[in-house]
Amino acid sequence: SLRAMPNLLVMRPADVIETAECWQIAIAHRDGPSLLALSRQNLPQLRHDGGPGLSARGAYRLKPAEATRRVILIATGSEVAIALDVAKLLEAGGIGADVVSMPCTQLFDAQDEAYRRDLLPEGGERLLRVSIEAGSTFGWERYTGLAGLRFGLDSFGASGPIDQLYQHFGLTAEQIAPRIVAALA
């Protein structure tokens, strides 16, 4: 819901490096307030290079497909680690999967068309886009397309340990990967 607020730059980093990059973006942002939505969980370190400030473009390819690319997994915040686990399962089955970390949809939307199309190319039936976020799936069709898959929380009222909640809502690699394979079939 915060992404729907005008002029609020919402960033949801996936690890320490993305958090530092998003903090720098927030400090430099002059066109309105910025918000960093941080996880309460301990998150794995996904990037080990300080790199060229990849979060500044709003989204970037964290992991390219190893096999022929059939899937683009788009995730934000703590769910980027889940997307990497999904990619491992898919790749083990011969299905190539890119993982795109999207810490800030607004910054991604502001990129030139060539960058956006390079990251999220149109691929028809041969290329499936999938979003993963522990929030509403509303709005993610902008990135997945109507034929894509969106994994998230479209109900309200559960609480408990995060592993149990991810299991309950189907946000585990073991639950997501088979649904992607079925959609590709």
Side-chain angles (χ1 to χ4, degrees):
S1 64
L2 293 169
R3 289 187 187 116
M5 296 178 118
N7 300 324
L8 177 63
L9 191 63
V10 177
M11 294 172 279
R12 198 162 173 257
D15 68 6
V16 168
I17 291 176
E18 280 191 10
T19 300
E21 290 174 347
C22 289
W23 179 255
Q24 290 175 330
I25 293 164
I27 290 171
H29 184 66
R30 302 280 184 239
D31 297 328
S34 300
L35 179 136
L36 271 70
L38 303 174
S39 175
R40 293 181 295 175
Q41 298 93 256
N42 291 324
L43 300 180
Q45 187 60 39
L46 305 178
R47 282 178 45 204
H48 299 285
D49 61 331
L54 298 172
S55 297
R57 298 195 91 175
Y60 62 94
R61 189 174 291 109
L62 177 63
K63 185 205 91 59
E66 296 164 26
T68 301
R69 180 174 58 188
R70 304 259 333 268
V71 177
I72 300 172
L73 301 165
I74 310 159
T76 182
S78 52
E79 291 74 53
V80 175
I82 295 171
L84 287 167
D85 290 341
V86 171
K88 284 180 194 171
L89 292 175
L90 294 173
E91 294 278 0
I95 298 169
D98 279 359
V99 175
V100 172
S101 178
M102 189 177 283
C104 185
T105 59
Q106 296 104 314
L107 290 175
F108 178 70
D109 292 345
Q111 299 306 307
D112 62 68
E113 185 175 344
Y115 181 77
R116 291 189 320 256
R117 285 196 184 278
D118 177 60
L119 211 54
L120 301 177
E122 298 294 330
E125 294 177 16
R126 296 183 325 262
L127 188 59
L128 180 67
R129 294 187 202 171
V130 177
S131 68
I132 305 170
E133 184 180 45
S136 173
T137 61
F138 179 77
W140 281 101
E141 65 277 355
R142 175 192 298 160
Y143 307 108
T144 64
L146 295 177
L149 298 177
R150 291 165 293 285
F151 294 92
L153 312 179
D154 290 321
S155 62
F156 183 78
S159 63
I162 193 65
D163 292 340
Q164 290 176 13
L165 291 175
Y166 277 163
Q167 185 72 34
H168 173 76
F169 287 110
L171 291 174
T172 67
E174 295 74 23
Q175 291 170 300
I176 293 171
R179 291 183 58 194
I180 292 172
V181 171
L184 289 171

